[in-house]
Amino acid sequence: MLDKNDLSQIKKIVHEETTKIIDAKLKPIKQDIAQIRNDQKTIIAFFDREYLDLRKRVERIEGHLNLPPLSQAQ
């Protein structure tokens, strides 16, 4: 018959093994999430630069044509 000490040792072993299995299965998922975050940062940075460049061009055209900015023209 198993006593409390035996049961606690079994519980500890089962917990350690299941933790190892879960960590092994989650590792590729964590790597994928990290890659998605990096890709997302790259995309956001690209479109931020594109937006700022386009905004500068529009402001230059407005200045050249002596047009008020669109927000004031409404």
Side-chain angles (χ1 to χ4, degrees):
M1 183 99 182
L2 298 174
D3 60 4
K4 283 189 174 185
N5 187 29
D6 293 337
L7 292 175
S8 67
Q9 288 178 352
I10 292 171
K11 182 179 176 182
K12 181 181 174 186
I13 292 170
V14 168
H15 178 71
E16 289 173 358
E17 292 301 316
T18 55
T19 303
K20 288 178 188 176
I21 293 170
I22 290 170
D23 287 344
K25 288 185 178 183
L26 289 180
K27 186 176 180 181
I29 295 171
K30 289 179 181 179
Q31 290 172 342
D32 289 346
I33 291 172
Q35 183 63 44
I36 290 169
R37 285 185 179 153
N38 287 335
D39 292 345
Q40 184 181 28
K41 287 178 186 178
T42 302
I43 291 168
I44 289 171
F46 172 78
F47 283 110
D48 280 347
R49 278 192 308 274
E50 290 295 314
Y51 169 75
L52 292 175
D53 290 344
L54 182 60
R55 184 176 175 142
K56 286 178 189 177
R57 291 178 65 200
V58 169
E59 288 174 354
R60 182 174 177 212
I61 292 168
E62 288 174 344
H64 181 72
L65 297 175
N66 294 321
L67 295 172
L70 186 58
S71 60
Q72 294 177 359
Q74 293 178 347

